[in-house]
Amino acid sequence: MFSARGCRDDPEHGFSHPFVQAVGMFLGEFSCLAVFYILLCHDRRSPEPKMNPGQSFNPLLFFPPAMCDMTATSIMYVALNMTSASSFQMLRGAVIIFTGLLSVAFLGRRLLASQWIGILITILGLVIVGLADFFSGHKDEHKLSDVITGDLLIVLAQVIVSVQMVLEEKFVYKHDVHPLRAVGTEGFFGFFVLSLLLIPMYFIHVGNFSDNPRQVLEDALDAFCQIGHQPLILLALLGNTVSIAFFNFAGISVTKEISATTRMVLDSLRTLVIWVVSMALGWEQFHGLQVLGFLVLLLGTALYNGLHRPLLARIPCCAGMVNQEEESSAGERERLLGEGRVQAGDES
């Protein structure tokens, strides 16, 4: 939403620098590595150390998932310039579809009936959200063709994110790596590689696909000049970086201390907050189809993550079925990840 003058005598233009934003996101993830070592040093100074630093590992294990994260994040930031923030957040729910399918294909996982139903309901929710974007009116900067392209790019990015999750589960989590260390190492690779890629991106001409004055894939110098002319952009970028670091740390803490399903519920509230704030600021209008799509997506995600089990467990006739589901799910996690890695598996 910000606009400012660039490096040359360019007129004021929008801050459209998705790859620079992605570098900031990886910087936030990278900072989790510093948090890990601070917590480790603090724990070792205590009389009774409780923190498990995990096994020694080859850091290059994190390179393939980091590249998936880099690609998906960059695509999503491009898409965010084309569609609304609420649709962006809702459509990210598509990740459970592709993660479930890839887990079956490459990890040999057996999905429960409730998870298959959750995937089908999620697909329906994505269709409804897409229809809401199609039938709603848009501002000049969000033309219908841009919105549809942005929505499709978000779904495409979720395919790449699901590959990242499967790689993490198969090659990373079984090595008993502390989650903060995993996030931080991936952030390091993503930050380093994408920072280097900004150099060739400065010279790759892409025409009207780019919104920067030179019409190149990414003009990092223009981004820094705009930041100099409009300090609020720097505040927004720093807010993004800090929130990414805190989000990962808080999410891991919730998964460890409570459960992965609780984290999923809180993450769903994030989508709701973004949607409400977007409407309150006048960035988008209220659409009933979007509300319906959000509720359907929430239902599909809840079924996939097993939130229905505590409710069904209260019904005597369904208690046995719930116990069988939980035993089957626990057996799958143990088979894939080994004992002691259930938390990390739940998180992915």
Side-chain angles (χ1 to χ4, degrees):
M1 303 292 288
F2 283 117
S3 61
R5 290 186 297 110
C7 294
R8 306 157 198 85
D9 295 327
D10 301 321
E12 185 173 299
H13 54 280
F15 185 84
S16 179
H17 298 283
F19 297 99
V20 172
Q21 287 180 266
V23 168
M25 189 217 72
F26 281 115
L27 182 61
E29 288 190 1
F30 186 22
S31 66
C32 288
L33 203 58
V35 174
F36 167 76
Y37 284 111
I38 291 172
L39 292 176
L40 185 62
C41 290
H42 177 74
D43 183 69
R44 286 178 174 175
R45 291 179 180 177
S46 63
E48 297 181 1
K50 299 179 181 178
M51 185 174 174
N52 176 22
Q55 303 172 356
S56 60
F57 63 96
N58 183 354
L60 290 177
L61 280 173
F62 292 88
F63 189 78
M67 293 303 96
C68 290
D69 194 7
M70 181 189 75
T71 305
T73 301
S74 300
I75 291 174
M76 283 191 284
Y77 276 126
V78 171
L80 186 56
N81 288 325
M82 298 180 174
T83 188
S84 63
S86 60
S87 294
F88 168 83
Q89 190 64 42
M90 290 180 190
L91 290 171
R92 290 178 67 181
V95 69
I96 71 169
I97 300 172
F98 305 111
T99 302
L101 296 177
L102 289 177
S103 296
V104 171
F106 295 104
L107 298 180
R109 171 170 288 173
R110 295 182 295 274
L111 297 183
L112 304 172
S114 60
Q115 290 177 309
W116 284 113
I117 295 172
I119 287 175
L120 293 175
I121 292 177
T122 300
I123 293 173
L124 176 62
L126 294 175
V127 171
I128 295 174
V129 172
L131 288 174
D133 280 340
F134 184 81
F135 290 118
S136 61
H138 300 281
K139 299 177 182 179
D140 291 338
E141 66 268 20
H142 283 165
K143 297 176 182 177
L144 180 59
S145 59
D146 289 344
V147 170
I148 294 174
T149 303
D151 289 353
L152 291 175
L153 285 175
I154 294 168
V155 175
L156 172 63
Q158 302 321 301
V159 178
I160 303 172
V161 171
S162 64
V163 173
Q164 173 195 347
M165 290 186 172
V166 170
L167 286 174
E168 287 175 343
E169 188 165 332
K170 188 171 182 63
F171 300 117
V172 176
Y173 286 127
K174 69 178 182 180
H175 291 273
D176 192 25
V177 180
H178 191 280
L180 271 178
R181 197 176 184 183
V183 171
T185 307
E186 282 189 22
F188 166 76
F189 283 123
F191 177 77
F192 180 74
V193 172
L194 192 54
S195 295
L196 289 179
L197 288 177
L198 289 179
I199 298 173
M201 286 179 182
Y202 183 81
F203 300 100
I204 299 175
H205 192 270
V206 294
N208 292 330
F209 180 77
S210 175
D211 290 332
N212 57 65
R214 294 180 58 243
Q215 294 188 323
V216 292
L217 189 57
E218 179 61 282
D219 191 341
L221 293 182
D222 181 64
F224 291 128
C225 289
Q226 285 190 288
I227 290 171
H229 291 131
Q230 176 55 279
L232 283 177
I233 297 176
L234 178 61
L235 182 63
L237 291 175
L238 288 176
N240 183 44
T241 301
V242 173
S243 69
I244 288 294
F246 183 77
F247 173 77
N248 282 286
F249 176 71
I252 289 168
S253 301
V254 169
T255 301
K256 181 179 179 181
E257 301 297 335
I258 307 175
S259 70
T261 51
T262 303
R263 180 180 181 181
M264 190 280 299
V265 173
L266 296 175
D267 196 50
S268 299
L269 292 178
R270 175 170 60 124
T271 304
L272 180 62
V273 168
I274 290 173
W275 177 59
V276 171
V277 170
S278 295
M279 287 194 299
L281 295 176
W283 292 352
E284 56 186 282
Q285 300 173 349
F286 176 85
H287 300 289
L289 269 180
Q290 202 172 45
V291 180
L292 178 61
F294 171 70
L295 293 176
V296 173
L297 282 172
L298 190 61
L299 176 61
T301 307
L303 281 173
Y304 187 86
N305 286 278
L307 282 184
H308 62 288
R309 292 172 191 163
L311 298 176
L312 292 179
R314 297 176 180 272
I315 305 175
C317 62
C318 300
M321 180 181 65
V322 171
N323 290 333
Q324 289 179 356
E325 277 198 359
E326 290 178 346
E327 290 174 2
S328 176
S329 179
E332 283 291 303
R333 288 195 296 268
E334 184 174 338
R335 181 177 67 82
L336 287 167
L337 305 173
E339 293 184 5
R341 301 304 302 149
V342 172
Q343 294 290 354
D346 279 348
E347 184 190 345
S348 72

